[in-house]
Amino acid sequence: MKDRRCGGFCNPKCSCHFQVEGSPFDHKGLLQSRELYQYILETSVYPREPAPLKEIRGITENHPEFFMGASPDSGQLIVMLLDMLNGKNTIELGVFTGYSLLLTALTIPDDGKILAIDPDLKSYEMGLPIIQKAGVEHKINFKHSPALPVLDKLLEDDNNKSSFDFAFVDADKTNYGNYHERLMQLVKVGGLIVYDNTLWYGTLVMPEESVHELMRSERSYLLELNRSLAADTRIQISQVPLGDGMTICRRLF
């Protein structure tokens, strides 16, 4: 049974999900004290979370792959980054039900734009009525597609290079390295690229034989990504242990 202490707007990464048994994805979150994580959410995150984002979390809870939703504490940091950057033209790889997409749309100015790419139309349509009700759908250009073909098409036009202020990546982990090289051309100097799940349920420091087989493939790609980002002199980085780990990259040249 799930511990329902979240008032019906429970997020997949909330502490109540730490008691679900079965899938290795049930225990997402690096802060393993349920009480401390709940304290952070209830004290610093939920009181400042707009009502439409609470609704998105509510519908995401009922999705069979609820664990793919962005965590609200990570989202709070993304909002701050966008504000500090004065982000206006953004790109998002991996949309799911739209939590991070909606918080971006609520943060950027009215004439800002988000290019959102995901091959999963059904999940996006779960959150779309909430996005529409929030009055920010006009900022979103949703592409129902895998990301690589869309990125490659963008790069055919030189006007798209260095045209994005911010990118958020929460898509298939096996392609993070491929996405990085393309985003480094699309995001401007001084812009940010944020990768989600870069600590992968804490499995990166575990012996491979101890890692659940469902997580092993992505784990190897994320280990390589982290090594690559650390060695990439084109970027300034900070790996943040929020949610499942986020790596913030600032393009230097």
Side-chain angles (χ1 to χ4, degrees), residues 80-125:
M80 182 178 290
L81 293 173
L82 284 165
D83 280 340
M84 294 173 66
L85 189 63
N86 293 317
K88 183 174 180 180
N89 192 30
T90 77
I91 186 167
E92 182 160 333
L93 310 187
V95 174
F96 194 45
T97 56
Y99 187 89
S100 57
L101 178 64
L102 177 56
L103 70 84
T104 301
L106 290 169
T107 304
I108 63 176
D110 194 58
D111 60 344
K113 296 296 179 185
I114 309 165
L115 175 59
I117 310 168
D118 200 310
D120 180 4
L121 180 61
K122 186 175 180 180
S123 294
Y124 171 65
E125 289 179 337

mmCIF file of all heavy atoms in Angstrom, residues 80-125:
data_model
loop_
_atom_site.group_PDB
_atom_site.id
_atom_site.type_symbol
_atom_site.label_atom_id
_atom_site.label_comp_id
_atom_site.label_asym_id
_atom_site.label_seq_id
_atom_site.Cartn_x
_atom_site.Cartn_y
_atom_site.Cartn_z
ATOM 1 N N MET A 80 14.260 28.390 -11.112
ATOM 2 C CA MET A 80 15.252 29.382 -10.697
ATOM 3 C C MET A 80 16.302 29.595 -11.783
ATOM 4 O O MET A 80 16.692 30.742 -12.074
ATOM 5 C CB MET A 80 15.925 28.958 -9.388
ATOM 6 C CG MET A 80 16.937 29.970 -8.870
ATOM 7 S SD MET A 80 17.697 29.501 -7.294
ATOM 8 C CE MET A 80 16.303 29.701 -6.188
ATOM 9 N N LEU A 81 16.754 28.505 -12.400
ATOM 10 C CA LEU A 81 17.745 28.614 -13.470
ATOM 11 C C LEU A 81 17.197 29.422 -14.641
ATOM 12 O O LEU A 81 17.886 30.275 -15.211
ATOM 13 C CB LEU A 81 18.182 27.230 -13.941
ATOM 14 C CG LEU A 81 18.967 26.378 -12.948
ATOM 15 C CD1 LEU A 81 19.174 24.975 -13.512
ATOM 16 C CD2 LEU A 81 20.304 27.018 -12.610
ATOM 17 N N LEU A 82 15.959 29.151 -15.028
ATOM 18 C CA LEU A 82 15.338 29.873 -16.132
ATOM 19 C C LEU A 82 15.218 31.361 -15.808
ATOM 20 O O LEU A 82 15.463 32.214 -16.661
ATOM 21 C CB LEU A 82 13.960 29.289 -16.445
ATOM 22 C CG LEU A 82 13.939 27.969 -17.203
ATOM 23 C CD1 LEU A 82 12.551 27.330 -17.132
ATOM 24 C CD2 LEU A 82 14.338 28.169 -18.667
ATOM 25 N N ASP A 83 14.833 31.674 -14.582
ATOM 26 C CA ASP A 83 14.709 33.075 -14.179
ATOM 27 C C ASP A 83 16.062 33.779 -14.199
ATOM 28 O O ASP A 83 16.187 34.916 -14.691
ATOM 29 C CB ASP A 83 14.098 33.158 -12.776
ATOM 30 C CG ASP A 83 12.594 32.995 -12.778
ATOM 31 O OD1 ASP A 83 11.979 33.202 -13.846
ATOM 32 O OD2 ASP A 83 12.025 32.654 -11.732
ATOM 33 N N MET A 84 17.087 33.134 -13.669
ATOM 34 C CA MET A 84 18.421 33.745 -13.636
ATOM 35 C C MET A 84 18.989 33.927 -15.036
ATOM 36 O O MET A 84 19.722 34.874 -15.309
ATOM 37 C CB MET A 84 19.354 32.879 -12.797
ATOM 38 C CG MET A 84 18.986 32.825 -11.323
ATOM 39 S SD MET A 84 19.970 31.640 -10.386
ATOM 40 C CE MET A 84 21.590 32.396 -10.491
ATOM 41 N N LEU A 85 18.616 33.012 -15.925
ATOM 42 C CA LEU A 85 19.107 33.057 -17.292
ATOM 43 C C LEU A 85 18.295 34.006 -18.171
ATOM 44 O O LEU A 85 18.719 34.352 -19.273
ATOM 45 C CB LEU A 85 19.049 31.631 -17.873
ATOM 46 C CG LEU A 85 19.678 31.328 -19.214
ATOM 47 C CD1 LEU A 85 21.192 31.545 -19.182
ATOM 48 C CD2 LEU A 85 19.375 29.887 -19.626
ATOM 49 N N ASN A 86 17.126 34.406 -17.678
ATOM 50 C CA ASN A 86 16.162 35.140 -18.513
ATOM 51 C C ASN A 86 15.839 34.333 -19.761
ATOM 52 O O ASN A 86 15.774 34.860 -20.873
ATOM 53 C CB ASN A 86 16.700 36.536 -18.896
ATOM 54 C CG ASN A 86 16.810 37.459 -17.703
ATOM 55 O OD1 ASN A 86 15.917 37.506 -16.856
ATOM 56 N ND2 ASN A 86 17.914 38.175 -17.609
ATOM 57 N N GLY A 87 15.657 33.024 -19.544
ATOM 58 C CA GLY A 87 15.408 32.115 -20.660
ATOM 59 C C GLY A 87 14.125 32.430 -21.399
ATOM 60 O O GLY A 87 13.101 32.756 -20.790
ATOM 61 N N LYS A 88 14.180 32.352 -22.703
ATOM 62 C CA LYS A 88 13.027 32.674 -23.544
ATOM 63 C C LYS A 88 12.797 31.608 -24.611
ATOM 64 O O LYS A 88 11.660 31.235 -24.887
ATOM 65 C CB LYS A 88 13.243 34.038 -24.212
ATOM 66 C CG LYS A 88 12.087 34.521 -25.052
ATOM 67 C CD LYS A 88 12.343 35.945 -25.551
ATOM 68 C CE LYS A 88 11.176 36.443 -26.396
ATOM 69 N NZ LYS A 88 11.407 37.823 -26.880
ATOM 70 N N ASN A 89 13.872 31.111 -25.212
ATOM 71 C CA ASN A 89 13.767 30.105 -26.268
ATOM 72 C C ASN A 89 14.382 28.809 -25.746
ATOM 73 O O ASN A 89 15.591 28.737 -25.536
ATOM 74 C CB ASN A 89 14.501 30.580 -27.526
ATOM 75 C CG ASN A 89 14.188 29.734 -28.741
ATOM 76 O OD1 ASN A 89 13.101 29.177 -28.854
ATOM 77 N ND2 ASN A 89 15.126 29.637 -29.654
ATOM 78 N N THR A 90 13.547 27.812 -25.512
ATOM 79 C CA THR A 90 14.022 26.603 -24.855
ATOM 80 C C THR A 90 13.672 25.361 -25.663
ATOM 81 O O THR A 90 12.814 25.391 -26.555
ATOM 82 C CB THR A 90 13.436 26.465 -23.438
ATOM 83 O OG1 THR A 90 12.076 26.015 -23.518
ATOM 84 C CG2 THR A 90 13.486 27.788 -22.687
ATOM 85 N N ILE A 91 14.338 24.258 -25.306
ATOM 86 C CA ILE A 91 14.090 22.975 -25.959
ATOM 87 C C ILE A 91 14.020 21.899 -24.898
ATOM 88 O O ILE A 91 14.769 21.935 -23.910
ATOM 89 C CB ILE A 91 15.191 22.676 -27.008
ATOM 90 C CG1 ILE A 91 14.859 21.412 -27.805
ATOM 91 C CG2 ILE A 91 16.568 22.588 -26.382
ATOM 92 C CD1 ILE A 91 15.727 21.248 -29.039
ATOM 93 N N GLU A 92 13.095 20.975 -25.060
ATOM 94 C CA GLU A 92 12.909 19.905 -24.084
ATOM 95 C C GLU A 92 12.850 18.568 -24.802
ATOM 96 O O GLU A 92 12.002 18.359 -25.673
ATOM 97 C CB GLU A 92 11.627 20.135 -23.272
ATOM 98 C CG GLU A 92 11.387 19.090 -22.216
ATOM 99 C CD GLU A 92 10.426 19.543 -21.121
ATOM 100 O OE1 GLU A 92 10.337 20.754 -20.861
ATOM 101 O OE2 GLU A 92 9.777 18.667 -20.529
ATOM 102 N N LEU A 93 13.743 17.664 -24.415
ATOM 103 C CA LEU A 93 13.768 16.311 -24.977
ATOM 104 C C LEU A 93 13.204 15.363 -23.939
ATOM 105 O O LEU A 93 13.803 15.136 -22.897
ATOM 106 C CB LEU A 93 15.200 15.906 -25.342
ATOM 107 C CG LEU A 93 16.031 16.877 -26.179
ATOM 108 C CD1 LEU A 93 17.353 16.237 -26.572
ATOM 109 C CD2 LEU A 93 15.270 17.337 -27.408
ATOM 110 N N GLY A 94 12.042 14.820 -24.224
ATOM 111 C CA GLY A 94 11.335 13.983 -23.270
ATOM 112 C C GLY A 94 10.313 14.811 -22.524
ATOM 113 O O GLY A 94 10.671 15.676 -21.717
ATOM 114 N N VAL A 95 9.035 14.578 -22.786
ATOM 115 C CA VAL A 95 7.975 15.409 -22.230
ATOM 116 C C VAL A 95 7.135 14.652 -21.211
ATOM 117 O O VAL A 95 6.732 15.195 -20.191
ATOM 118 C CB VAL A 95 7.069 15.949 -23.365
ATOM 119 C CG1 VAL A 95 5.866 16.691 -22.793
ATOM 120 C CG2 VAL A 95 7.866 16.841 -24.303
ATOM 121 N N PHE A 96 6.840 13.391 -21.502
ATOM 122 C CA PHE A 96 5.981 12.547 -20.677
ATOM 123 C C PHE A 96 4.639 13.247 -20.469
ATOM 124 O O PHE A 96 4.034 13.682 -21.434
ATOM 125 C CB PHE A 96 6.698 12.201 -19.369
ATOM 126 C CG PHE A 96 6.054 11.090 -18.588
ATOM 127 C CD1 PHE A 96 5.640 9.925 -19.226
ATOM 128 C CD2 PHE A 96 5.858 11.196 -17.216
ATOM 129 C CE1 PHE A 96 5.050 8.896 -18.511
ATOM 130 C CE2 PHE A 96 5.272 10.167 -16.500
ATOM 131 C CZ PHE A 96 4.869 9.022 -17.146
ATOM 132 N N THR A 97 4.157 13.395 -19.238
ATOM 133 C CA THR A 97 2.859 14.031 -19.024
ATOM 134 C C THR A 97 2.937 15.549 -18.964
ATOM 135 O O THR A 97 1.909 16.218 -18.916
ATOM 136 C CB THR A 97 2.214 13.517 -17.725
ATOM 137 O OG1 THR A 97 3.114 13.744 -16.635
ATOM 138 C CG2 THR A 97 1.906 12.020 -17.825
ATOM 139 N N GLY A 98 4.150 16.098 -18.936
ATOM 140 C CA GLY A 98 4.290 17.535 -19.116
ATOM 141 C C GLY A 98 4.601 18.360 -17.888
ATOM 142 O O GLY A 98 4.463 19.595 -17.934
ATOM 143 N N TYR A 99 5.064 17.756 -16.789
ATOM 144 C CA TYR A 99 5.346 18.552 -15.598
ATOM 145 C C TYR A 99 6.445 19.587 -15.859
ATOM 146 O O TYR A 99 6.244 20.787 -15.629
ATOM 147 C CB TYR A 99 5.740 17.646 -14.428
ATOM 148 C CG TYR A 99 5.889 18.387 -13.120
ATOM 149 C CD1 TYR A 99 4.798 18.567 -12.276
ATOM 150 C CD2 TYR A 99 7.113 18.916 -12.731
ATOM 151 C CE1 TYR A 99 4.932 19.263 -11.071
ATOM 152 C CE2 TYR A 99 7.252 19.613 -11.534
ATOM 153 C CZ TYR A 99 6.160 19.781 -10.708
ATOM 154 O OH TYR A 99 6.290 20.477 -9.534
ATOM 155 N N SER A 100 7.605 19.135 -16.328
ATOM 156 C CA SER A 100 8.697 20.080 -16.573
ATOM 157 C C SER A 100 8.358 21.029 -17.724
ATOM 158 O O SER A 100 8.769 22.189 -17.724
ATOM 159 C CB SER A 100 10.000 19.338 -16.856
ATOM 160 O OG SER A 100 9.862 18.450 -17.951
ATOM 161 N N LEU A 101 7.604 20.549 -18.695
ATOM 162 C CA LEU A 101 7.177 21.400 -19.801
ATOM 163 C C LEU A 101 6.282 22.525 -19.304
ATOM 164 O O LEU A 101 6.462 23.696 -19.665
ATOM 165 C CB LEU A 101 6.439 20.554 -20.840
ATOM 166 C CG LEU A 101 5.870 21.293 -22.043
ATOM 167 C CD1 LEU A 101 6.975 21.925 -22.880
ATOM 168 C CD2 LEU A 101 5.029 20.340 -22.904
ATOM 169 N N LEU A 102 5.323 22.178 -18.466
ATOM 170 C CA LEU A 102 4.410 23.193 -17.947
ATOM 171 C C LEU A 102 5.133 24.198 -17.058
ATOM 172 O O LEU A 102 4.891 25.407 -17.163
ATOM 173 C CB LEU A 102 3.273 22.524 -17.168
ATOM 174 C CG LEU A 102 2.272 23.458 -16.489
ATOM 175 C CD1 LEU A 102 1.648 24.430 -17.477
ATOM 176 C CD2 LEU A 102 1.191 22.651 -15.763
ATOM 177 N N LEU A 103 6.035 23.733 -16.203
ATOM 178 C CA LEU A 103 6.721 24.701 -15.335
ATOM 179 C C LEU A 103 7.595 25.650 -16.153
ATOM 180 O O LEU A 103 7.731 26.824 -15.817
ATOM 181 C CB LEU A 103 7.519 23.997 -14.243
ATOM 182 C CG LEU A 103 8.780 23.199 -14.573
ATOM 183 C CD1 LEU A 103 10.007 24.084 -14.659
ATOM 184 C CD2 LEU A 103 9.015 22.131 -13.501
ATOM 185 N N THR A 104 8.175 25.139 -17.256
ATOM 186 C CA THR A 104 8.933 26.016 -18.143
ATOM 187 C C THR A 104 8.020 27.032 -18.816
ATOM 188 O O THR A 104 8.330 28.224 -18.888
ATOM 189 C CB THR A 104 9.681 25.203 -19.207
ATOM 190 O OG1 THR A 104 10.579 24.292 -18.561
ATOM 191 C CG2 THR A 104 10.476 26.097 -20.143
ATOM 192 N N ALA A 105 6.872 26.551 -19.309
ATOM 193 C CA ALA A 105 5.920 27.445 -19.977
ATOM 194 C C ALA A 105 5.400 28.520 -19.029
ATOM 195 O O ALA A 105 5.150 29.662 -19.439
ATOM 196 C CB ALA A 105 4.771 26.632 -20.555
ATOM 197 N N LEU A 106 5.227 28.170 -17.760
ATOM 198 C CA LEU A 106 4.765 29.149 -16.779
ATOM 199 C C LEU A 106 5.845 30.165 -16.415
ATOM 200 O O LEU A 106 5.535 31.264 -15.932
ATOM 201 C CB LEU A 106 4.304 28.428 -15.506
ATOM 202 C CG LEU A 106 3.017 27.612 -15.600
ATOM 203 C CD1 LEU A 106 2.841 26.751 -14.350
ATOM 204 C CD2 LEU A 106 1.806 28.505 -15.814
ATOM 205 N N THR A 107 7.111 29.811 -16.656
ATOM 206 C CA THR A 107 8.234 30.648 -16.224
ATOM 207 C C THR A 107 8.713 31.610 -17.298
ATOM 208 O O THR A 107 9.001 32.773 -17.020
ATOM 209 C CB THR A 107 9.412 29.761 -15.773
ATOM 210 O OG1 THR A 107 8.968 28.870 -14.757
ATOM 211 C CG2 THR A 107 10.569 30.591 -15.257
ATOM 212 N N ILE A 108 8.811 31.147 -18.544
ATOM 213 C CA ILE A 108 9.333 31.999 -19.607
ATOM 214 C C ILE A 108 8.304 33.070 -19.974
ATOM 215 O O ILE A 108 7.115 32.927 -19.675
ATOM 216 C CB ILE A 108 9.734 31.169 -20.851
ATOM 217 C CG1 ILE A 108 8.508 30.459 -21.453
ATOM 218 C CG2 ILE A 108 10.818 30.160 -20.497
ATOM 219 C CD1 ILE A 108 8.819 29.692 -22.743
ATOM 220 N N PRO A 109 8.742 34.171 -20.607
ATOM 221 C CA PRO A 109 7.804 35.255 -20.931
ATOM 222 C C PRO A 109 6.732 34.827 -21.925
ATOM 223 O O PRO A 109 6.824 33.758 -22.547
ATOM 224 C CB PRO A 109 8.717 36.344 -21.520
ATOM 225 C CG PRO A 109 9.960 35.644 -21.922
ATOM 226 C CD PRO A 109 10.129 34.486 -20.990
ATOM 227 N N ASP A 110 5.732 35.680 -22.085
ATOM 228 C CA ASP A 110 4.571 35.314 -22.899
ATOM 229 C C ASP A 110 4.938 35.066 -24.349
ATOM 230 O O ASP A 110 4.274 34.292 -25.040
ATOM 231 C CB ASP A 110 3.503 36.410 -22.816
ATOM 232 C CG ASP A 110 2.161 35.938 -23.344
ATOM 233 O OD1 ASP A 110 1.639 34.935 -22.810
ATOM 234 O OD2 ASP A 110 1.641 36.552 -24.298
ATOM 235 N N ASP A 111 6.006 35.710 -24.826
ATOM 236 C CA ASP A 111 6.424 35.484 -26.209
ATOM 237 C C ASP A 111 7.547 34.448 -26.294
ATOM 238 O O ASP A 111 8.166 34.281 -27.349
ATOM 239 C CB ASP A 111 6.858 36.792 -26.878
ATOM 240 C CG ASP A 111 8.031 37.453 -26.169
ATOM 241 O OD1 ASP A 111 8.319 37.096 -25.011
ATOM 242 O OD2 ASP A 111 8.654 38.350 -26.775
ATOM 243 N N GLY A 112 7.809 33.753 -25.201
ATOM 244 C CA GLY A 112 8.813 32.693 -25.221
ATOM 245 C C GLY A 112 8.301 31.454 -25.927
ATOM 246 O O GLY A 112 7.090 31.268 -26.120
ATOM 247 N N LYS A 113 9.222 30.580 -26.313
ATOM 248 C CA LYS A 113 8.871 29.371 -27.050
ATOM 249 C C LYS A 113 9.614 28.161 -26.498
ATOM 250 O O LYS A 113 10.765 28.260 -26.090
ATOM 251 C CB LYS A 113 9.206 29.528 -28.548
ATOM 252 C CG LYS A 113 8.402 30.610 -29.263
ATOM 253 C CD LYS A 113 6.909 30.266 -29.288
ATOM 254 C CE LYS A 113 6.101 31.354 -29.987
ATOM 255 N NZ LYS A 113 4.632 31.081 -29.915
ATOM 256 N N ILE A 114 8.925 27.020 -26.508
ATOM 257 C CA ILE A 114 9.516 25.744 -26.105
ATOM 258 C C ILE A 114 9.321 24.757 -27.250
ATOM 259 O O ILE A 114 8.192 24.501 -27.674
ATOM 260 C CB ILE A 114 8.841 25.166 -24.855
ATOM 261 C CG1 ILE A 114 8.757 26.197 -23.730
ATOM 262 C CG2 ILE A 114 9.583 23.906 -24.390
ATOM 263 C CD1 ILE A 114 7.787 25.811 -22.629
ATOM 264 N N LEU A 115 10.423 24.219 -27.752
ATOM 265 C CA LEU A 115 10.349 23.107 -28.691
ATOM 266 C C LEU A 115 10.393 21.831 -27.856
ATOM 267 O O LEU A 115 11.411 21.525 -27.239
ATOM 268 C CB LEU A 115 11.508 23.150 -29.684
ATOM 269 C CG LEU A 115 11.611 21.959 -30.649
ATOM 270 C CD1 LEU A 115 10.344 21.823 -31.491
ATOM 271 C CD2 LEU A 115 12.840 22.098 -31.539
ATOM 272 N N ALA A 116 9.273 21.119 -27.797
ATOM 273 C CA ALA A 116 9.142 19.931 -26.953
ATOM 274 C C ALA A 116 9.035 18.697 -27.846
ATOM 275 O O ALA A 116 8.184 18.641 -28.726
ATOM 276 C CB ALA A 116 7.905 20.058 -26.072
ATOM 277 N N ILE A 117 9.887 17.711 -27.586
ATOM 278 C CA ILE A 117 9.981 16.547 -28.467
ATOM 279 C C ILE A 117 9.787 15.271 -27.662
ATOM 280 O O ILE A 117 10.468 15.054 -26.656
ATOM 281 C CB ILE A 117 11.350 16.506 -29.174
ATOM 282 C CG1 ILE A 117 11.686 17.846 -29.815
ATOM 283 C CG2 ILE A 117 11.379 15.401 -30.216
ATOM 284 C CD1 ILE A 117 13.128 17.968 -30.278
ATOM 285 N N ASP A 118 8.860 14.418 -28.127
ATOM 286 C CA ASP A 118 8.647 13.130 -27.473
ATOM 287 C C ASP A 118 7.882 12.210 -28.429
ATOM 288 O O ASP A 118 6.916 12.648 -29.062
ATOM 289 C CB ASP A 118 7.843 13.307 -26.182
ATOM 290 C CG ASP A 118 7.998 12.144 -25.224
ATOM 291 O OD1 ASP A 118 7.826 10.983 -25.663
ATOM 292 O OD2 ASP A 118 8.294 12.367 -24.045
ATOM 293 N N PRO A 119 8.289 10.940 -28.537
ATOM 294 C CA PRO A 119 7.549 10.000 -29.380
ATOM 295 C C PRO A 119 6.275 9.479 -28.728
ATOM 296 O O PRO A 119 5.483 8.784 -29.366
ATOM 297 C CB PRO A 119 8.555 8.857 -29.592
ATOM 298 C CG PRO A 119 9.429 8.901 -28.394
ATOM 299 C CD PRO A 119 9.534 10.354 -28.011
ATOM 300 N N ASP A 120 6.066 9.813 -27.455
ATOM 301 C CA ASP A 120 4.908 9.323 -26.704
ATOM 302 C C ASP A 120 3.820 10.398 -26.665
ATOM 303 O O ASP A 120 3.791 11.248 -25.788
ATOM 304 C CB ASP A 120 5.346 8.942 -25.285
ATOM 305 C CG ASP A 120 4.195 8.407 -24.435
ATOM 306 O OD1 ASP A 120 3.074 8.264 -24.951
ATOM 307 O OD2 ASP A 120 4.437 8.137 -23.239
ATOM 308 N N LEU A 121 2.928 10.347 -27.640
ATOM 309 C CA LEU A 121 1.862 11.342 -27.732
ATOM 310 C C LEU A 121 0.799 11.127 -26.662
ATOM 311 O O LEU A 121 0.249 12.086 -26.109
ATOM 312 C CB LEU A 121 1.227 11.287 -29.121
ATOM 313 C CG LEU A 121 0.072 12.261 -29.404
ATOM 314 C CD1 LEU A 121 0.539 13.697 -29.277
ATOM 315 C CD2 LEU A 121 -0.518 11.996 -30.785
ATOM 316 N N LYS A 122 0.514 9.878 -26.344
ATOM 317 C CA LYS A 122 -0.563 9.556 -25.403
ATOM 318 C C LYS A 122 -0.307 10.164 -24.029
ATOM 319 O O LYS A 122 -1.204 10.740 -23.411
ATOM 320 C CB LYS A 122 -0.733 8.046 -25.292
ATOM 321 C CG LYS A 122 -1.924 7.610 -24.457
ATOM 322 C CD LYS A 122 -2.092 6.099 -24.484
ATOM 323 C CE LYS A 122 -3.293 5.660 -23.651
ATOM 324 N NZ LYS A 122 -3.453 4.178 -23.675
ATOM 325 N N SER A 123 0.930 10.057 -23.536
ATOM 326 C CA SER A 123 1.235 10.617 -22.220
ATOM 327 C C SER A 123 1.151 12.135 -22.238
ATOM 328 O O SER A 123 0.651 12.761 -21.295
ATOM 329 C CB SER A 123 2.630 10.161 -21.762
ATOM 330 O OG SER A 123 2.654 8.769 -21.534
ATOM 331 N N TYR A 124 1.653 12.751 -23.319
ATOM 332 C CA TYR A 124 1.576 14.207 -23.450
ATOM 333 C C TYR A 124 0.124 14.675 -23.414
ATOM 334 O O TYR A 124 -0.206 15.693 -22.775
ATOM 335 C CB TYR A 124 2.242 14.642 -24.751
ATOM 336 C CG TYR A 124 2.051 16.105 -25.107
ATOM 337 C CD1 TYR A 124 2.577 17.113 -24.310
ATOM 338 C CD2 TYR A 124 1.333 16.477 -26.251
ATOM 339 C CE1 TYR A 124 2.401 18.448 -24.632
ATOM 340 C CE2 TYR A 124 1.162 17.806 -26.589
ATOM 341 C CZ TYR A 124 1.690 18.788 -25.775
ATOM 342 O OH TYR A 124 1.514 20.112 -26.105
ATOM 343 N N GLU A 125 -0.755 13.931 -24.059
ATOM 344 C CA GLU A 125 -2.163 14.328 -24.119
ATOM 345 C C GLU A 125 -2.859 14.193 -22.769
ATOM 346 O O GLU A 125 -3.902 14.808 -22.552
ATOM 347 C CB GLU A 125 -2.889 13.508 -25.182
ATOM 348 C CG GLU A 125 -2.474 13.900 -26.605
ATOM 349 C CD GLU A 125 -3.161 13.096 -27.679
ATOM 350 O OE1 GLU A 125 -3.620 11.967 -27.377
ATOM 351 O OE2 GLU A 125 -3.244 13.583 -28.827
#
